Amino acid sequence: MIKLSPKLSQKFSYALLYIATLLAIVPVITIIFIIVKNGISAISLEFLTSMPKNGMREGGILPAILGTFSIVLCAITIILPVGVCAAIYLNEYAKDNFLTKIIKLSIVNLAGIPSVVYGLFGLGIFVMFFKLGVSIIAGALTLSIMELPVVITTARGALNSVPYSFREASWSLGVSRWQTIRHVVLPNALPGILTGTILTVARISGETAPILFTAAAFYVPHLPHSIFDQVMAMPYHLYIISTQIPNMPKNIIYGTALVLLMVVLTMSCIAMIARIYFKKRRKW
Amino acid sequence: MRKIIDSAIETIIFICGMLSIVFVVLIFGFLFKEGFSFFRNFGILKFVTGHFWYAASDPASFGILPLILGSTLVTIGACTIAVPIGVMSALFISEIAPKGIRDVLKSLIELMAAIPSVVIGLIGVITLVPFVKNIFNLPTGLTAFSGSIMLAFMAIPTIITISEDAIRSVPWKYREGALALGATKWQTVRRVVLKAAMPGIIAATMLGIGRVIGETMAVMMITGNAAHIPHSIFDPVRTMTATIAAEMGEAVRGGMHYRSLFAIAFVLFAITFIVNFMADLFLGKNKNI
Amino acid sequence: MVNKIEVRDLNCYYNKRCVLESLTINVIQNEILSIIGPANSGKTTFLRTLNRMNDLDATYCRKGEIYLDGEHIFNMNMENLRKRISMLFAMPIPLPMTIYENIVYAPKRLGLITRKSDQDAIVEQALRDASLWDEVKDRLNTSAMKISGGQQQRLCIARILAVNPEVILFDEPCSGLDPISTAKVEESMIELKEKYTIVLVTNNVKQASRVGDKTAFFLMGKLVEIDETDKLFVSPKEKQTENYITGRFG
């Protein structure tokens, strides 16, 4: 083998890294481009605001949009208080002991459980054991447990970014720990928690496997009335129309994918912009 | 009064802190209960080593070896693609790219992680599957190979993000030491930075593996779902996750088939537990340099 | 001459390593006690033990007794103790809110403000006592992060005064300040001893001689000598004290 000079080997390696990065980035852009290019023609006000017709081969996707919206709304109202409280416990109260180690291990473990296993668990516990049926609330609870580790981790990061000295300054005046958290730590961690929440919304909107057996329905001829209703959901709807229905018009598939992708990507972009904005405005 | 409210709130916070443990125990207990009753009826050895998965036929056969091999094949394939690309991209982003480009790349990777798996699956079915079919002249493009490629895209953001963290946490003095001795930048990166960041990169790989094993929708749409023992990466395969997702709807509640799916979930739970636990150990190691 | 704080045989440890050894010392009401000594002599640990700021540190433990007006402080409710013994840190730590909110923050949380109309009066009084009022009275609603370091430190003093404690602990309060700001802080300290008891930890020997009624010299976790400031600086009894104050080490 020819031994390359260090300079040449550096150039060669840099080129390799450059190509690898391109390989990682180009598919994202391609995927987004394909969906946008093919889906844009299907998008119209009617597509977004009407019911599916003719075995879903025509009409719009309104029930799926509303279904996803209600599941996400429901899940976020459950998970946000619980996740933030858990993060407060870990960051502000927990001592460095065995219990805390177990909690952290549990969080790592929860984060790794496959989404379909959560779906199965939700089916067994919420749908059957608590008799909630296949419903918005059962799906939202399942998603909440699944997203809990992510919410805890981001909220903890936000709490942790508030300087410790602020807490000490507050304690030194005789203010209690909870009052310090409530009036000094939380207000300053809020931007971080908010960005994390938007990202969680994005992720929940795209999840399919956990709601497969807990919330989603193949077809529901009416819009959701209560949290105990079965609903159509965008990701599940997309799965159905792209694999289960023969002769499905391509533009409806792409249109649905585009709507879903836009919801998720818009949320992610908002979160990214918010993060930059808050960073610039940070007071300390 | 104020003190009572304070301590009530602190109690709630404590309970929320404990919830993660409660959920893990609950999930474990639940899967174990359903899975265990299945193992008792069917036999755990027959379950893990059985060559045939005929869950719906009579008499049924619940051998998950083809499913385990399917998951393994797809995972190995995906990691072979994703790990080198991911680690090299992480190196590029953290060591070479100027700041402006780095921010753009990181944002794109974040977007990539956000794309729902159904959308990835759809793109795979429409673009990649026919392509693989034609180029390798196969009867079908729905193969483990196609699945590996699509899953690699899903693992890449995880691998990049975690590796990049690890690479960037290598202290500056390490690099300065090497550079001061006259090493080129690349020699420094390869011999010093990469070595110091290795535990983090291994953790990133582990987490990427965890993500691929657990992935359901895209895999179900692309890999062809044939539950037989694969002979090559160009065979259609069926993974454990896809089996659960595809068959839960038709399984009779409480029946043998139903419980066999919980048993698969239990196996998945055990695998991901080990993988994530190890990743966490490596991440812990990385913090101590 | 009333003993405000009595410390009996106090020992403090970090990770089992002793940082303060059998310390017995009294702080007299309405006096300034300055504590001098080189780095790592246990001065700050002593201060943080007095209002139990170290209690959250898992590596820290202590033995011994401290009485505040005859009451054992380790048996007191932590919040009540800190309301009576407040602390000013080395670096100014304004909370990220307006000047006005910084002052009313603690009184509000502690339920000291019963009527909203009292608020303005409390803010003005606290700022006047910390001799900051004239400089900030027109911009009470600007962020406390935007005023200068010296002003921030005096704001922190004002914030403490608004809670009306009995003892104020100063932990090297001028280490980050320029000479003019330092002079201002020292000035307010001397005014404050009319109403409060003060313990001042300082690296600056001259500062101790300027403001302290009594001065204590700590070395390696032990109290070497305590005396009237004038006596300690003119005729120290211990050789180590003399070496330190004449600048031979430290």
PDB file of all heavy atoms in Angstrom, chain B residues 11-30:
ATOM      1  N   THR B  11     -45.377  17.215  47.454  1.00  0.00           N
ATOM      2  CA  THR B  11     -45.762  15.806  47.402  1.00  0.00           C
ATOM      3  C   THR B  11     -46.126  15.409  45.980  1.00  0.00           C
ATOM      4  O   THR B  11     -45.707  14.352  45.482  1.00  0.00           O
ATOM      5  CB  THR B  11     -46.971  15.547  48.326  1.00  0.00           C
ATOM      6  OG1 THR B  11     -46.710  16.180  49.566  1.00  0.00           O
ATOM      7  CG2 THR B  11     -47.196  14.072  48.525  1.00  0.00           C
ATOM      8  N   ILE B  12     -46.895  16.257  45.306  1.00  0.00           N
ATOM      9  CA  ILE B  12     -47.277  15.968  43.916  1.00  0.00           C
ATOM     10  C   ILE B  12     -46.023  15.827  43.050  1.00  0.00           C
ATOM     11  O   ILE B  12     -45.898  14.896  42.248  1.00  0.00           O
ATOM     12  CB  ILE B  12     -48.183  17.084  43.356  1.00  0.00           C
ATOM     13  CG1 ILE B  12     -49.510  17.089  44.100  1.00  0.00           C
ATOM     14  CG2 ILE B  12     -48.407  16.897  41.859  1.00  0.00           C
ATOM     15  CD1 ILE B  12     -50.418  18.227  43.742  1.00  0.00           C
ATOM     16  N   ILE B  13     -45.076  16.757  43.244  1.00  0.00           N
ATOM     17  CA  ILE B  13     -43.839  16.712  42.470  1.00  0.00           C
ATOM     18  C   ILE B  13     -43.099  15.405  42.711  1.00  0.00           C
ATOM     19  O   ILE B  13     -42.618  14.766  41.778  1.00  0.00           O
ATOM     20  CB  ILE B  13     -42.953  17.925  42.828  1.00  0.00           C
ATOM     21  CG1 ILE B  13     -43.549  19.185  42.220  1.00  0.00           C
ATOM     22  CG2 ILE B  13     -41.526  17.730  42.339  1.00  0.00           C
ATOM     23  CD1 ILE B  13     -42.857  20.446  42.625  1.00  0.00           C
ATOM     24  N   PHE B  14     -43.069  14.978  43.963  1.00  0.00           N
ATOM     25  CA  PHE B  14     -42.394  13.720  44.287  1.00  0.00           C
ATOM     26  C   PHE B  14     -43.077  12.552  43.574  1.00  0.00           C
ATOM     27  O   PHE B  14     -42.410  11.710  42.964  1.00  0.00           O
ATOM     28  CB  PHE B  14     -42.403  13.509  45.803  1.00  0.00           C
ATOM     29  CG  PHE B  14     -41.791  12.211  46.227  1.00  0.00           C
ATOM     30  CD1 PHE B  14     -40.417  12.039  46.175  1.00  0.00           C
ATOM     31  CD2 PHE B  14     -42.578  11.161  46.646  1.00  0.00           C
ATOM     32  CE1 PHE B  14     -39.845  10.840  46.549  1.00  0.00           C
ATOM     33  CE2 PHE B  14     -42.019   9.956  47.013  1.00  0.00           C
ATOM     34  CZ  PHE B  14     -40.650   9.800  46.972  1.00  0.00           C
ATOM     35  N   ILE B  15     -44.410  12.546  43.619  1.00  0.00           N
ATOM     36  CA  ILE B  15     -45.143  11.453  42.966  1.00  0.00           C
ATOM     37  C   ILE B  15     -44.836  11.425  41.470  1.00  0.00           C
ATOM     38  O   ILE B  15     -44.564  10.366  40.897  1.00  0.00           O
ATOM     39  CB  ILE B  15     -46.663  11.605  43.207  1.00  0.00           C
ATOM     40  CG1 ILE B  15     -46.961  11.401  44.694  1.00  0.00           C
ATOM     41  CG2 ILE B  15     -47.454  10.609  42.370  1.00  0.00           C
ATOM     42  CD1 ILE B  15     -48.359  11.748  45.102  1.00  0.00           C
ATOM     43  N   CYS B  16     -44.855  12.604  40.833  1.00  0.00           N
ATOM     44  CA  CYS B  16     -44.541  12.658  39.397  1.00  0.00           C
ATOM     45  C   CYS B  16     -43.138  12.143  39.140  1.00  0.00           C
ATOM     46  O   CYS B  16     -42.888  11.476  38.138  1.00  0.00           O
ATOM     47  CB  CYS B  16     -44.669  14.083  38.867  1.00  0.00           C
ATOM     48  SG  CYS B  16     -46.367  14.628  38.751  1.00  0.00           S
ATOM     49  N   GLY B  17     -42.213  12.470  40.056  1.00  0.00           N
ATOM     50  CA  GLY B  17     -40.846  11.993  39.894  1.00  0.00           C
ATOM     51  C   GLY B  17     -40.771  10.480  39.916  1.00  0.00           C
ATOM     52  O   GLY B  17     -39.967   9.866  39.227  1.00  0.00           O
ATOM     53  N   MET B  18     -41.645   9.871  40.721  1.00  0.00           N
ATOM     54  CA  MET B  18     -41.633   8.414  40.843  1.00  0.00           C
ATOM     55  C   MET B  18     -42.326   7.728  39.668  1.00  0.00           C
ATOM     56  O   MET B  18     -42.158   6.532  39.454  1.00  0.00           O
ATOM     57  CB  MET B  18     -42.352   7.980  42.130  1.00  0.00           C
ATOM     58  CG  MET B  18     -41.664   8.379  43.408  1.00  0.00           C
ATOM     59  SD  MET B  18     -39.993   7.765  43.464  1.00  0.00           S
ATOM     60  CE  MET B  18     -39.136   9.299  43.611  1.00  0.00           C
ATOM     61  N   LEU B  19     -43.133   8.483  38.912  1.00  0.00           N
ATOM     62  CA  LEU B  19     -43.979   7.858  37.883  1.00  0.00           C
ATOM     63  C   LEU B  19     -43.180   7.031  36.878  1.00  0.00           C
ATOM     64  O   LEU B  19     -43.640   5.976  36.452  1.00  0.00           O
ATOM     65  CB  LEU B  19     -44.782   8.922  37.137  1.00  0.00           C
ATOM     66  CG  LEU B  19     -46.116   9.306  37.777  1.00  0.00           C
ATOM     67  CD1 LEU B  19     -46.833  10.323  36.925  1.00  0.00           C
ATOM     68  CD2 LEU B  19     -46.989   8.078  37.998  1.00  0.00           C
ATOM     69  N   SER B  20     -41.978   7.521  36.507  1.00  0.00           N
ATOM     70  CA  SER B  20     -41.195   6.777  35.517  1.00  0.00           C
ATOM     71  C   SER B  20     -40.948   5.351  35.989  1.00  0.00           C
ATOM     72  O   SER B  20     -41.080   4.402  35.217  1.00  0.00           O
ATOM     73  CB  SER B  20     -39.854   7.449  35.276  1.00  0.00           C
ATOM     74  OG  SER B  20     -40.025   8.807  35.069  1.00  0.00           O
ATOM     75  N   ILE B  21     -40.597   5.222  37.275  1.00  0.00           N
ATOM     76  CA  ILE B  21     -40.367   3.880  37.814  1.00  0.00           C
ATOM     77  C   ILE B  21     -41.655   3.074  37.733  1.00  0.00           C
ATOM     78  O   ILE B  21     -41.669   1.932  37.280  1.00  0.00           O
ATOM     79  CB  ILE B  21     -39.908   3.949  39.288  1.00  0.00           C
ATOM     80  CG1 ILE B  21     -38.643   4.783  39.418  1.00  0.00           C
ATOM     81  CG2 ILE B  21     -39.694   2.559  39.834  1.00  0.00           C
ATOM     82  CD1 ILE B  21     -38.119   4.835  40.829  1.00  0.00           C
ATOM     83  N   VAL B  22     -42.761   3.724  38.139  1.00  0.00           N
ATOM     84  CA  VAL B  22     -44.049   3.033  38.132  1.00  0.00           C
ATOM     85  C   VAL B  22     -44.356   2.496  36.736  1.00  0.00           C
ATOM     86  O   VAL B  22     -44.732   1.331  36.568  1.00  0.00           O
ATOM     87  CB  VAL B  22     -45.167   3.993  38.587  1.00  0.00           C
ATOM     88  CG1 VAL B  22     -46.534   3.336  38.442  1.00  0.00           C
ATOM     89  CG2 VAL B  22     -44.927   4.434  40.020  1.00  0.00           C
ATOM     90  N   PHE B  23     -44.147   3.334  35.720  1.00  0.00           N
ATOM     91  CA  PHE B  23     -44.490   2.913  34.364  1.00  0.00           C
ATOM     92  C   PHE B  23     -43.619   1.756  33.889  1.00  0.00           C
ATOM     93  O   PHE B  23     -44.116   0.815  33.271  1.00  0.00           O
ATOM     94  CB  PHE B  23     -44.379   4.095  33.387  1.00  0.00           C
ATOM     95  CG  PHE B  23     -45.482   5.100  33.568  1.00  0.00           C
ATOM     96  CD1 PHE B  23     -45.231   6.454  33.444  1.00  0.00           C
ATOM     97  CD2 PHE B  23     -46.760   4.687  33.874  1.00  0.00           C
ATOM     98  CE1 PHE B  23     -46.245   7.385  33.621  1.00  0.00           C
ATOM     99  CE2 PHE B  23     -47.784   5.598  34.049  1.00  0.00           C
ATOM    100  CZ  PHE B  23     -47.522   6.956  33.922  1.00  0.00           C
ATOM    101  N   VAL B  24     -42.318   1.860  34.169  1.00  0.00           N
ATOM    102  CA  VAL B  24     -41.445   0.762  33.732  1.00  0.00           C
ATOM    103  C   VAL B  24     -41.878  -0.544  34.384  1.00  0.00           C
ATOM    104  O   VAL B  24     -42.027  -1.573  33.716  1.00  0.00           O
ATOM    105  CB  VAL B  24     -39.971   1.066  34.074  1.00  0.00           C
ATOM    106  CG1 VAL B  24     -39.117  -0.164  33.824  1.00  0.00           C
ATOM    107  CG2 VAL B  24     -39.460   2.202  33.231  1.00  0.00           C
ATOM    108  N   VAL B  25     -42.133  -0.481  35.696  1.00  0.00           N
ATOM    109  CA  VAL B  25     -42.545  -1.693  36.402  1.00  0.00           C
ATOM    110  C   VAL B  25     -43.866  -2.204  35.844  1.00  0.00           C
ATOM    111  O   VAL B  25     -44.047  -3.400  35.591  1.00  0.00           O
ATOM    112  CB  VAL B  25     -42.661  -1.410  37.920  1.00  0.00           C
ATOM    113  CG1 VAL B  25     -43.288  -2.591  38.633  1.00  0.00           C
ATOM    114  CG2 VAL B  25     -41.301  -1.084  38.499  1.00  0.00           C
ATOM    115  N   LEU B  26     -44.781  -1.276  35.602  1.00  0.00           N
ATOM    116  CA  LEU B  26     -46.096  -1.632  35.073  1.00  0.00           C
ATOM    117  C   LEU B  26     -45.977  -2.303  33.710  1.00  0.00           C
ATOM    118  O   LEU B  26     -46.570  -3.350  33.457  1.00  0.00           O
ATOM    119  CB  LEU B  26     -46.937  -0.359  34.949  1.00  0.00           C
ATOM    120  CG  LEU B  26     -48.419  -0.457  35.275  1.00  0.00           C
ATOM    121  CD1 LEU B  26     -48.619  -0.954  36.682  1.00  0.00           C
ATOM    122  CD2 LEU B  26     -49.073   0.901  35.097  1.00  0.00           C
ATOM    123  N   ILE B  27     -45.193  -1.693  32.823  1.00  0.00           N
ATOM    124  CA  ILE B  27     -45.044  -2.249  31.476  1.00  0.00           C
ATOM    125  C   ILE B  27     -44.390  -3.620  31.554  1.00  0.00           C
ATOM    126  O   ILE B  27     -44.854  -4.597  30.961  1.00  0.00           O
ATOM    127  CB  ILE B  27     -44.206  -1.305  30.576  1.00  0.00           C
ATOM    128  CG1 ILE B  27     -44.980  -0.025  30.321  1.00  0.00           C
ATOM    129  CG2 ILE B  27     -43.857  -1.976  29.256  1.00  0.00           C
ATOM    130  CD1 ILE B  27     -44.215   1.042  29.566  1.00  0.00           C
ATOM    131  N   PHE B  28     -43.330  -3.698  32.364  1.00  0.00           N
ATOM    132  CA  PHE B  28     -42.636  -4.971  32.513  1.00  0.00           C
ATOM    133  C   PHE B  28     -43.600  -6.023  33.061  1.00  0.00           C
ATOM    134  O   PHE B  28     -43.729  -7.109  32.506  1.00  0.00           O
ATOM    135  CB  PHE B  28     -41.431  -4.816  33.449  1.00  0.00           C
ATOM    136  CG  PHE B  28     -40.727  -6.106  33.726  1.00  0.00           C
ATOM    137  CD1 PHE B  28     -39.815  -6.606  32.819  1.00  0.00           C
ATOM    138  CD2 PHE B  28     -40.994  -6.825  34.881  1.00  0.00           C
ATOM    139  CE1 PHE B  28     -39.171  -7.806  33.060  1.00  0.00           C
ATOM    140  CE2 PHE B  28     -40.364  -8.031  35.126  1.00  0.00           C
ATOM    141  CZ  PHE B  28     -39.446  -8.513  34.211  1.00  0.00           C
ATOM    142  N   GLY B  29     -44.293  -5.670  34.137  1.00  0.00           N
ATOM    143  CA  GLY B  29     -45.190  -6.619  34.784  1.00  0.00           C
ATOM    144  C   GLY B  29     -46.273  -7.087  33.833  1.00  0.00           C
ATOM    145  O   GLY B  29     -46.580  -8.285  33.730  1.00  0.00           O
ATOM    146  N   PHE B  30     -46.818  -6.143  33.097  1.00  0.00           N
ATOM    147  CA  PHE B  30     -47.907  -6.444  32.188  1.00  0.00           C
ATOM    148  C   PHE B  30     -47.458  -7.383  31.071  1.00  0.00           C
ATOM    149  O   PHE B  30     -48.089  -8.410  30.806  1.00  0.00           O
ATOM    150  CB  PHE B  30     -48.414  -5.124  31.615  1.00  0.00           C
ATOM    151  CG  PHE B  30     -49.643  -5.268  30.802  1.00  0.00           C
ATOM    152  CD1 PHE B  30     -50.863  -5.503  31.409  1.00  0.00           C
ATOM    153  CD2 PHE B  30     -49.572  -5.175  29.431  1.00  0.00           C
ATOM    154  CE1 PHE B  30     -51.990  -5.642  30.646  1.00  0.00           C
ATOM    155  CE2 PHE B  30     -50.703  -5.308  28.668  1.00  0.00           C
ATOM    156  CZ  PHE B  30     -51.916  -5.544  29.272  1.00  0.00           C
TER     157      PHE B  30
END
